Amino acid sequence: MSLDEATRQLEAAIHDARVAFDCIALDELERAHTSVITARAAVDAAENAVRVALREREDSGDRDGAAPDHR
């Protein structure tokens, strides 16, 4: 997984959340529910992709973006 995948998943989640919002306004609750579930799945996938990227960064010894060591 890559950060590009996380970005793609977050864009999908945004879209699905907007669809759910519109469906609620139209009283299409079953469709809204489906869109909320797919938005949640996309957010979970994005979180996993970021977690994997962080782990890969730690494993490679790359400290960019890490908090400074103040020892």
Side-chain angles (χ1 to χ4, degrees):
M1 292 231 186
S2 69
L3 293 178
D4 290 338
E5 177 64 13
T7 299
R8 189 184 75 73
Q9 291 293 339
L10 288 173
E11 288 174 345
I14 290 166
H15 170 77
D16 289 337
R18 286 181 178 147
V19 169
F21 179 86
D22 291 341
C23 288
I24 290 169
L26 296 170
D27 199 33
E28 294 182 20
L29 297 183
E30 287 183 27
R31 187 170 172 212
H33 184 241
T34 299
S35 293
V36 168
I37 291 169
T38 57
R40 172 76 183 259
V43 168
D44 288 346
E47 187 271 334
N48 187 56
V50 171
R51 186 177 341 109
V52 168
L54 284 170
R55 190 175 311 132
E56 288 173 352
R57 181 176 286 180
E58 289 172 0
D59 290 346
S60 71
D62 184 0
R63 294 186 48 87
D64 286 346
D69 189 3
H70 293 291
R71 287 187 230 170

